[in-house]
């Protein structure tokens, strides 16, 4: 996930680079990054500001979606 750089119009239509799909060990894998306030209850007021943002990475097999 850290090395993923194949963002395109299909998997990143808004240019946010917060979703991706890749192959790993013969499995299709999806990942999504969400940006919450520091309490983890609501959307972050400024996702670029780490002092007010908690990032959550979700990784799942495509067949689980």
């Amino acid at each position: 996930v850290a090395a993923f750089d194949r963002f395109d119009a299909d998997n990143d239509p808004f240019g946010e680079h917060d979703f991706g799909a890749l192959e790993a060990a013969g499995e299709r894998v999806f990942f999504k990054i969400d940006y919450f306030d520091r309490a983890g209850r609501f959307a972050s007021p400024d996702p670029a500001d780490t002092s007010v943002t908690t990032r959550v990475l979700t990784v799942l097999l495509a067949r689980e979606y």
Side-chain angles (χ1 to χ4, degrees), residues 10-43:
D10 289 332
N11 65 25
D12 191 29
F14 302 107
E16 295 176 345
H17 291 39
D18 61 1
F19 174 84
L22 53 103
E23 295 285 327
E27 293 275 1
R28 184 101 169 129
V29 178
F30 293 152
F31 70 87
K32 173 77 172 108
I33 303 168
D34 291 296
Y35 309 92
F36 294 100
D37 63 11
R38 295 296 282 175
R41 295 184 55 200
F42 303 104

Side-chain angles (χ1 to χ4, degrees), residues 12-13 31 50 56 63:
D12 191 29
F31 70 87
T50 58
V56 176
R63 60 185 161 86

Side-chain angles (χ1 to χ4, degrees), residues 34-38 42-55:
D34 291 296
Y35 309 92
F36 294 100
D37 63 11
R38 295 296 282 175
F42 303 104
S44 172
D46 182 358
D49 183 351
T50 58
S51 71
V52 297
T53 303
T54 297
R55 293 183 180 130

